[in-house]
Amino acid sequence: MVVSIKAEISKTDRVREYLIQELRSGRYQKGSVFLSENTLIRRLGICKNTVREAYSSLVSEGLLERIRGKGTFVIGFENRNHPETSIREVHVLAGDPMRNHEDDPFVGAILTGLHAALDPFDWRIRLKCFEAVEDVYNRLGTFEEELNPGDNVILAGFDFPASLTENLVKKGIRVLTIGRPEDERIPFVHSDYRKSMYDTVRMLVSLGHEKIALADRRTSHHPSFEERRQGYIQALSDSGIVPDARLMVEYRGFDISCGDEIWNSLRSCGVKFTAIIIYGDWATLGFLRNASAEKIPIPEELSLISCCNTPLVSGKLLLTRIAACHSELGKAAGNLLMKPADEAGNILVMPRLIQGDTVKKMDAKKGEEI
């Protein structure tokens, strides 16, 4: 089995950075006509849709204005919530139970997105990782002493109880979260786990699967766990299938042995299932190891979908997976940060279903297969 991961800045982000550098060059005064889309297409050799998306992002951020029939005009940086000449920085506090820091897939992707949004505006990003996310409350209390009123903080990768964020807000610190917080007044960006899980289960049902297992990790950020489970249950119910609690497995670790735990729990529960959705790359690999040992072929006898950002390959199979767009979450958080505090809202980012080779339509003649 091979595990690989690849992350890169999109073409749209690269065009966007180019446009921002043009704005900062001093060649365009406020109110002047800016580069046309057609000019940039010819200059960079980039497709029309990519250029249009880049321009639209700067229009939505208040840097450019489109006037029909006249062109695109420069608004400038004056409407930002910070003076252009000030030093701007954000403290990113991230859960890192694997102790990989910037090399952790979640932390690294969040930083990639933040850099894409903030680097063109000379923001400084300060990262601090918490290995024991369950103890983050006590550790953050110590870190608060380093923060001052007016500082910016982004919390990511653990739970955000109101008692945690309230202390920061009372101190005059601006707080954003990547993940849903308990305090509804805190602006956040979040993966739409409920809808992505709902759509995935409905897809499996459309392929003839009725006994669908769900194995999820109940740690770090509980709202995400609950939303995935709610989407799973709702999709089954809307399909006329009664959810079976025996097919809903929880685990808590971060290593390959979690797959053994999932396998043993489901194989002994007394319910035959034809498909499974597993949260976590290591748990998925551990489960696959057990399926291989017992000679249960995937997807011929068991369809499998992994909720993970790591492209997983097992033998000749590329796993079908639900990938949370963590770099997009980071970028969205950066964009929220640049808005005035009273204008910042909430953003939901839809995870992507990436097709692989591990899902198969049920053979109606076979019925339940394992």
Side-chain angles (χ1 to χ4, degrees):
M1 291 180 286
V2 178
V3 183
S4 61
I5 184 167
K6 181 179 181 181
E8 59 181 20
I9 298 177
S10 69
K11 289 182 179 179
T12 300
D13 285 334
R14 294 186 186 280
V15 175
R16 178 176 175 275
E17 291 179 13
Y18 180 90
L19 293 175
I20 289 171
Q21 293 305 320
E22 285 290 304
L23 285 170
R24 295 173 65 88
S25 68
R27 289 191 289 271
Y28 301 92
Q29 300 299 313
K30 183 177 180 180
S32 65
V33 178
F34 191 52
L35 280 173
S36 70
E37 292 183 8
N38 288 335
T39 297
L40 195 64
I41 290 170
R42 290 193 298 270
R43 180 181 296 182
L44 300 182
I46 302 293
C47 74
K48 186 175 182 179
N49 288 341
T50 299
V51 170
R52 182 160 294 174
E53 288 176 5
Y55 272 83
S56 296
S57 72
L58 298 187
V59 169
S60 66
E61 293 175 21
L63 294 178
L64 298 176
E65 180 182 13
R66 285 194 180 110
I67 300 178
R68 185 181 295 275
K70 295 185 177 181
T72 303
F73 293 82
V74 176
I75 296 178
F77 295 88
E78 289 79 3
N79 66 329
R80 294 296 179 182
N81 62 315
H82 293 281
E84 181 63 12
T85 57
S86 67
I87 296 176
R88 292 160 295 177
E89 66 179 25
V90 56
H91 298 268
V92 179
L93 312 182
D96 178 30
M98 300 297 289
R99 301 177 176 86
N100 289 326
H101 303 289
E102 293 93 337
D103 292 330
D104 179 85
F106 171 75
V107 177
I110 292 296
L111 288 177
T112 297
L114 280 171
H115 279 295
L118 299 178
D119 281 1
F121 302 101
D122 295 331
W123 278 73
R124 181 184 301 161
I125 300 173
R126 296 184 178 274
L127 174 67
K128 185 176 184 63
C129 293
F130 294 102
E131 296 170 2
V133 293
E134 293 81 3
D135 192 38
V136 70
Y137 187 92
N138 294 329
R139 300 194 60 190
L140 184 57
T142 301
F143 180 68
E144 283 179 27
E145 299 174 2
E146 304 175 24
L147 301 174
N148 298 305
D151 283 349
N152 301 288
V153 170
I154 294 177
L155 307 177
F158 46 86
D159 278 335
F160 320 112
S163 56
L164 178 71
T165 54
E166 184 179 7
N167 292 338
L168 296 170
V169 173
K170 282 183 177 179
K171 195 172 180 178
I173 295 166
R174 186 180 182 189
V175 182
L176 306 176
T177 63
I178 298 177
R180 192 182 299 273
E182 184 179 53
D183 187 341
E184 297 180 354
R185 298 170 299 175
I186 303 294
F188 66 86
V189 297
H190 185 48
S191 295
D192 196 344
Y193 287 112
R194 186 198 305 265
K195 188 175 189 309
S196 63
M197 183 62 70
Y198 180 92
D199 291 347
T200 301
V201 173
R202 291 283 290 198
M203 180 268 289
L204 288 171
V205 172
S206 73
L207 294 176
H209 297 278
E210 295 188 4
K211 299 297 183 181
I212 303 169
L214 173 65
D216 204 342
R217 185 171 62 222
R218 194 183 183 101
T219 55
S220 300
H221 189 246
H222 293 299
S224 298
F225 172 92
E226 294 296 343
E227 288 167 12
R228 286 190 291 270
R229 176 162 290 199
Q230 289 164 8
Y232 166 85
I233 292 173
Q234 189 63 53
L236 291 175
S237 298
D238 288 352
S239 302
I241 301 170
V242 178
D244 191 330
R246 292 172 294 178
L247 294 179
M248 291 180 268
V249 177
E250 300 176 16
Y251 71 95
R252 293 184 177 273
F254 289 89
D255 56 58
I256 200 167
S257 67
C258 296
D260 302 336
E261 179 183 343
I262 294 167
W263 179 268
N264 293 331
S265 178
L266 288 172
R267 294 293 280 173
S268 63
C269 75
V271 181
K272 295 180 179 179
F273 58 100
T274 62
I276 183 170
I277 304 170
I278 304 176
Y279 183 86
D281 46 10
W282 285 111
T284 301
L285 292 173
F287 185 91
L288 283 168
R289 181 176 64 181
N290 282 272
S292 177
E294 294 202 17
K295 294 182 171 51
I296 294 179
I298 294 175
E300 288 77 15
E301 291 190 17
L302 177 63
S303 289
L304 186 150
I305 297 176
S306 179
C307 297
C308 69
N309 280 46
T310 308
L312 298 178
V313 178
S314 177
K316 297 181 179 180
L317 294 177
L318 175 65
L319 269 69
T320 300
R321 58 195 175 94
I322 304 170
C325 303
H326 291 147
S327 61
E328 289 300 312
L329 290 175
K331 182 179 176 182
N335 290 335
L336 276 186
L337 188 64
M338 290 190 292
K339 291 184 177 182
D342 58 353
E343 295 180 12
N346 306 321
I347 300 175
L348 288 179
V349 177
M350 186 68 180
R352 297 171 296 159
L353 179 63
I354 302 176
Q355 296 292 345
D357 308 314
T358 53
V359 174
K360 185 178 180 181
K361 185 175 182 179
M362 281 285 295
D363 186 340
K365 295 180 181 179
K366 277 187 161 186
E368 297 178 336
E369 295 185 291
I370 72 169

